[in-house]
Amino acid sequence: MKLLRFCLVPLALVCVALLRLLGGRVKIGVLQANRIGHLAGNVEVHLCERDAGIRPRAIEIWCSPWGCCNDYLMRMWRRVITIDRTGFVTIVQKVNRLFKGWHVCEIESGNLDRDAHNLYEKYPPHLSFTAAEEARGQRELVRMGIPRGAKWVCLIVRDSTYLPHLAYHSHRDSDIDDYASAALALAKRGYYVIRMGAKVAKPMPFATSHIIDYATNGMRSEFMDIYLCAKCAFALNNGAGLDAICCAFRRPSCYVNFVPVEYLATWSRGALAIWKHHIKDGRRMMPAEIWASGAGQFMRTEEYEEAGITLVNNTPEEIKAAAEEMADGYSVPGFHLAQRDFWRTFPRSISPYTQKPIHGEIRMRIGREFLKGYQ
């Protein structure tokens, strides 16, 4: 295989020369397909920006140099964009980067999976299911014990089993046991609660007929990962990659145990969030202190450790309160003032990775009971 790729280099050089002559009218896109959040979110944001005229029009050919985390999602994207299956475009892309001005021939990474222009509310999802896929999804729901017309919540809890080789993300992990009270409360309201995940640390001990441990009961498939997130009433999650599928299909999320705080999905209309408590010098840090310390953008566990900050997970009661508020849509007189005051101080940061704004217009809210504790 390596010999074959080497033999294709001269042809790749010719293709690079042609791309340069075309002056950006044909561009190569690189899919970060090894992470489902980026495979779903990055492409959807890019296509919305292209629809809005933010991206220059060009013939786009995409490649996937790092493998694929969900083949079915890739299959669905092939109905929307041109994705090379042979691996040759990846060779062209790598050869192109050997020369100055390579960026002219590549699609700019842009805002990655962040809808900083609030385009999700202006354009419909680019992904869709065929009639055959809709029928398949309904059959699988019945097999899982979910009747037609029922509502469900996707429970997405990142733990230490997810991407263990990236231990610097361990500060984002949670314990599934802490979600029992929230799941039971949602089930009492008539929701089915479906615990998602391709790899999880342990089975869910509080499973019932309305609380389904889809991650461990043998019913999981790549297709249903997409279908369940695309059709859910909302997701209860801590910012793991599957939430990008919910966003791509315009489904809201209730974010709990979320860090880093400045990376909240603020563009998501109807979303609600609470974050892990930041403890320093024996006391809980207020939001302004988190912003001032830089911890609102910390991406690595060791950054919190070096700053002397301990992250404490949300309590089961806090998670339950957020989930109930999300389900019930509480509207408390005067509470919008607390929201307004919080978002006034919230940083409108620039990403150190893309040098672009992280947020646009704020569409989410902070949990009512949670925010009371910070006033």
Side-chain angles (χ1 to χ4, degrees):
M1 185 62 71
K2 289 183 178 180
L3 178 61
L4 176 60
R5 287 198 293 264
F6 181 77
C7 293
L8 289 173
V9 169
L11 181 57
L13 281 166
V14 173
C15 291
V16 169
L18 288 172
L19 288 173
R20 300 296 177 99
L21 287 172
L22 289 169
R25 289 191 290 274
V26 178
K27 288 179 176 282
I28 296 172
V30 180
L31 295 171
Q32 193 174 340
N34 59 333
R35 303 283 291 275
I36 197 162
H38 291 297
L39 179 56
N42 292 22
V43 182
E44 180 65 19
V45 169
H46 168 79
L47 294 177
C48 287
E49 291 182 351
R50 193 179 67 179
D51 291 346
I54 296 171
R55 301 281 189 162
R57 286 284 176 176
I59 297 173
E60 299 178 346
I61 305 173
W62 296 80
C63 64
S64 177
W66 304 299
C68 183
C69 60
N70 187 299
D71 290 330
Y72 209 95
L73 180 56
M74 185 73 83
R75 175 178 171 180
M76 293 179 73
W77 275 132
R78 286 195 182 102
R79 301 200 290 252
V80 182
I81 58 178
T82 302
I83 304 175
D84 171 50
R85 302 184 188 214
T86 67
F88 177 65
V89 175
T90 298
I91 299 173
V92 175
Q93 183 259 342
K94 290 181 178 179
V95 171
N96 177 55
R97 289 201 172 189
L98 297 174
F99 302 96
K100 290 182 178 180
W102 59 266
H103 59 279
V104 174
C105 304
E106 282 197 22
I107 297 170
E108 183 188 3
S109 61
N111 278 317
L112 301 179
D113 59 347
R114 303 197 62 81
D115 181 26
H117 298 286
N118 297 97
L119 300 177
Y120 278 5
E121 63 191 44
K122 299 176 183 177
Y123 297 96
H126 291 83
L127 289 168
S128 61
F129 296 98
T130 65
E133 288 169 340
E134 290 283 4
R136 176 183 174 182
Q138 290 298 316
R139 289 196 303 271
E140 290 296 314
L141 287 173
V142 171
R143 190 167 76 93
M144 292 169 61
I146 302 175
R148 185 177 293 273
K151 298 182 295 182
W152 67 86
V153 173
C154 288
L155 178 57
I156 306 169
V157 181
R158 178 190 181 118
D159 60 36
S160 59
T161 307
Y162 180 66
L163 301 178
H165 59 290
L166 300 180
Y168 61 84
H169 276 308
S170 62
H171 61 283
R172 298 169 62 189
D173 295 341
S174 300
D175 188 336
I176 187 64
D177 293 349
D178 292 341
Y179 294 75
S181 297
L184 291 168
L186 291 172
K188 285 182 180 179
R189 283 163 170 73
Y191 292 95
Y192 285 81
V193 180
I194 305 173
R195 192 262 190 103
M196 309 293 292
K199 295 179 181 179
V200 295
K202 58 185 177 183
M204 187 170 60
F206 48 90
T208 67
S209 60
H210 272 67
I211 304 174
I212 302 168
D213 199 352
Y214 163 81
T216 67
N217 67 4
M219 293 184 179
R220 183 197 161 261
S221 69
E222 291 190 347
F223 167 74
M224 285 304 289
D225 285 354
I226 310 305
Y227 191 84
L228 289 169
C229 289
K231 302 287 185 175
C232 66
F234 64 90
L236 176 60
N237 78 85
N238 62 347
L242 279 173
D243 75 305
I245 297 175
C246 300
C247 284
F249 280 94
R250 314 304 190 258
R251 308 313 303 153
S253 282
C254 175
Y255 294 95
V256 299
N257 280 319
F258 191 91
V259 281
V261 186
E262 287 183 47
Y263 277 81
L264 286 167
T266 53
W267 64 84
S268 183
R269 186 176 291 277
L272 180 145
I274 64 177
W275 58 86
K276 291 194 178 191
H277 300 291
H278 295 54
I279 308 299
K280 185 171 183 178
D281 299 329
R283 66 177 186 84
R284 184 174 63 180
M285 298 173 70
M286 298 299 285
E289 295 174 302
I290 297 174
W291 319 147
S293 70
Q297 287 200 35
F298 286 173
M299 290 291 192
R300 304 178 71 92
T301 300
E302 55 264 32
E303 290 181 281
Y304 293 95
E305 294 170 350
E306 291 167 1
I309 297 172
T310 300
L311 294 176
V312 176
N313 288 347
N314 296 133
T315 65
E317 291 74 22
E318 288 173 332
I319 296 171
K320 177 187 175 185
E324 288 179 321
E325 181 179 350
M326 186 74 178
D328 296 343
Y330 288 157
S331 179
V332 179
F335 180 56
H336 67 281
L337 298 176
Q339 293 284 329
R340 183 198 64 188
D341 292 343
F342 173 81
W343 291 116
R344 276 180 175 175
T345 69
F346 189 78
R348 301 305 194 267
S349 311
I350 300 296
S351 168
Y353 306 101
T354 66
Q355 304 306 312
K356 294 181 181 296
I358 298 175
H359 306 282
E361 295 294 325
I362 304 298
R363 296 291 183 258
M364 71 162 23
R365 66 189 191 277
I366 305 302
R368 177 173 62 94
E369 294 300 323
F370 184 80
L371 192 55
K372 281 182 180 179
Y374 282 92
Q375 289 181 272

